[in-house]
Amino acid sequence: MPSTPTPSAATPSAATPSALTPSAPQPSAVPAAKPASGRGRHAGRRALQAGAAALLLLLTGVAAAPAAPARAAVSVPAATAAATGAATGAATGAAAAVPQELDPATVRRLDAAIGGAMKRDRIPGAIVGVWLPGRGEYVKAFGTADTRSGIPMKSDLYMRIGSVTKTFTVTAVLQLVDQGRVALDDPISKYVAGVPGGGKITLRQLAGMRSGLFNYTEDERFLAALRADPHRDFTPRQLLGHAFAHPANFAPGAKWEYSNTNTILLGLLLEEMSGQPLDGYLRHHVFDPLKLTDTSLPSGTDFPEPHAEGYTGFSPNGAVANATDWNPSWAWAAGSAVSTLDDLHAWVPALVGGRLLTPATQAQRLRTEPVGVPGISYGLGIADVNGWLGHNGELPGYETIAAQLPREQATMVIMVNSDMDQGGSYSTTLGKAVTEIVTPDHLWSLPSPSQVGQNQR
């Protein structure tokens, strides 16, 4: 979920296909099995991201948090780390053992809470997965994947995952740290030329959102260009041009402020160091080692089939638009990845358990610092939301949460096919509804844009 200003809430007109107003969303009784063929094939589709790309924490406009003592590296129980390999392998396809559903009373409460929130906020469709070791799991799809045809949402559909992409990009950079090819306190100017003040901005500050660089997704010229033609292709250097047209917001390391510019620079670093396109590099070094066969950083407008249609209000006139075929190149290393519920279920334990990194480097990733909102802190490409470690993502038409609660070894993945938030992020609304029931002492709760001063457009 790269950060672009949240579009003004657009209410579907009478001409809007039964859209965004599912009558009571009903969960799919049984998660649909993945097709034996056709998965992983890209169906060259036009896609772009321009909508309310709620940056990771929907904290675009949060008052920049001043430097403060970092939290000690989050303690991941040994059992969690030990289970990461097993959990990753099992969850990559389907669980090796027959999944055990949560107790009936909890299932009924979750069904009612999710269905009620979707009806109240007019969320077209959602996929919800919660895995609680020792208690069971809950995996269901709600509502519709396509509001025109009424095709129901299914739990195996591909979805755009926005800023969850950052967790992959930063992991790849941290792998270079482990290989001794880069150091976290190296200046970005050592690897990428043309960065204003780049000699004083470190890789650590980029990964931790403390560089001070202007966020290109808040540049008016960029937003106008994107809104005018959401199918256009942007290069990383073009994106940086929009960022570097503005002075830095503060001195490197002085504060915390979410900026997609940071992750674009880390993507360029990976390409410079490897001589490979970022999509291929992530495939070889992050996706393949974990058997994330349904996760990719699509080239251009590719979008694997089958996928859910995505709905947004980020359009020239504020009307409801189908953003499915928009080009996400503007998000690139910061937010253009595509994935599935199963793959994110496999990825989150590997991310939090540090499966692809040395323990020392993983400890640095999990050393989170305050962002200026109680209960929320940020490490290196990973957030801590009241104990939940992971990331959320939002871009026109799609919202995602992928996180783990190490204290209970719980994993939660939520995927929504609309970003037309009604006063708050749809994914956060569902995440809070779920955690109020399954982990009431650890709520997934993020401030709405209006609470943190995010501009409304």
Side-chain angles (χ1 to χ4, degrees):
M1 67 200 171
S3 115
T4 15
T6 301
S8 49
T11 302
S13 65
T16 304
S18 79
L20 313 183
T21 31
S23 38
Q26 296 298 317
S28 302
V30 180
K34 289 189 175 182
S37 61
R39 298 301 306 235
R41 296 251 181 151
H42 293 222
R45 309 200 49 161
R46 295 202 145 229
L48 181 146
Q49 186 288 305
L55 67 140
L56 143 80
L57 299 171
L58 289 177
L59 298 176
T60 303
V62 71
R71 293 187 184 181
V74 177
S75 175
V76 178
T80 298
T84 296
T88 300
T92 299
V98 176
Q100 173 189 349
E101 193 174 59
L102 291 173
D103 65 276
T106 301
V107 169
R108 286 193 296 271
R109 291 180 64 199
L110 287 170
D111 287 350
I114 295 168
M118 290 182 65
K119 183 176 182 179
R120 181 184 64 249
D121 288 356
R122 301 161 72 194
I123 302 173
I127 302 169
V128 178
V130 183
W131 295 266
L132 303 166
R135 295 173 59 186
E137 65 178 55
Y138 178 92
V139 176
K140 292 190 178 183
F142 295 76
T144 58
D146 184 336
T147 60
R148 285 187 178 276
S149 65
I151 293 175
M153 184 67 81
K154 295 182 180 179
S155 63
D156 68 338
L157 298 182
Y158 285 96
M159 302 278 267
R160 299 194 186 281
I161 62 173
S163 284
V164 176
T165 305
K166 291 178 173 68
T167 62
F168 300 120
T169 301
V170 173
T171 293
V173 172
L174 295 178
Q175 288 176 318
L176 293 181
V177 171
D178 278 339
Q179 295 163 16
R181 299 178 63 192
V182 305
L184 280 171
D185 294 317
D186 284 346
I188 186 61
S189 61
K190 184 175 180 180
Y191 308 101
V192 180
V195 182
K200 296 183 178 179
I201 298 172
T202 67
L203 307 189
R204 185 190 305 276
Q205 289 162 348
L206 292 172
M209 299 295 174
R210 290 181 174 269
S211 73
L213 292 172
F214 184 86
N215 186 0
Y216 69 89
T217 53
E218 294 180 35
D219 176 74
E220 294 293 344
R221 292 181 59 196
F222 165 78
L223 290 169
L226 188 59
R227 196 187 304 268
D229 181 11
H231 299 99
R232 69 171 289 181
D233 191 64
F234 288 88
T235 67
R237 284 291 180 179
Q238 287 174 330
L239 301 176
L240 293 179
H242 287 288
F244 298 162
H246 300 264
N249 291 336
F250 51 83
K255 302 176 182 179
W256 183 93
E257 185 176 76
Y258 197 90
S259 175
N260 291 305
T261 304
N262 296 328
T263 320
I264 298 299
L265 283 169
L266 293 178
L268 283 177
L269 176 149
L270 289 168
E271 292 198 332
E272 289 289 333
M273 294 297 293
S274 68
Q276 301 177 38
L278 182 61
D279 55 349
Y281 189 84
L282 291 179
R283 164 63 54 203
H284 182 69
H285 293 276
V286 180
F287 306 150
D288 284 350
L290 297 175
K291 296 182 174 60
L292 304 181
T293 57
D294 288 336
T295 302
S296 63
L297 193 75
S299 176
T301 60
D302 289 353
F303 196 170
E305 296 276 10
H307 57 247
E309 303 292 296
Y311 303 94
T312 188
F314 187 85
S315 60
N317 59 6
V320 178
N322 186 322
T324 309
D325 296 333
W326 290 3
N327 189 327
S329 61
W330 65 267
W332 195 51
S336 68
V338 168
S339 192
T340 60
L341 177 79
D342 278 355
D343 268 19
L344 292 183
H345 174 208
W347 167 240
V348 172
L351 169 69
V352 177
R355 184 175 175 191
L356 297 179
L357 303 176
T358 64
T361 298
Q362 177 67 0
Q364 293 194 69
R365 166 154 64 186
L366 298 183
R367 189 170 182 266
T368 62
E369 298 187 29
V371 305
V373 176
I376 301 175
S377 57
Y378 199 80
L380 302 182
I382 193 168
D384 183 329
V385 180
N386 295 320
W388 286 93
L389 298 178
H391 221 285
N392 72 326
E394 184 174 334
L395 74 172
Y398 300 90
E399 296 185 8
T400 304
I401 295 172
Q404 185 179 69
L405 181 64
R407 181 181 296 273
E408 299 187 23
Q409 299 180 42
T411 299
M412 175 174 65
V413 176
I414 293 176
M415 311 174 89
V416 183
N417 66 335
S418 175
D419 69 320
M420 297 183 62
D421 303 333
Q422 305 293 314
S425 165
Y426 281 160
S427 58
T428 292
T429 295
L430 296 183
K432 187 174 182 181
V434 168
T435 55
E436 282 177 337
I437 294 171
V438 299
T439 58
D441 293 332
H442 299 276
L443 299 182
W444 180 273
S445 182
L446 298 175
S448 67
S450 60
Q451 291 175 301
V452 295
Q454 184 172 342
N455 294 329
Q456 299 296 308
R457 289 176 172 81

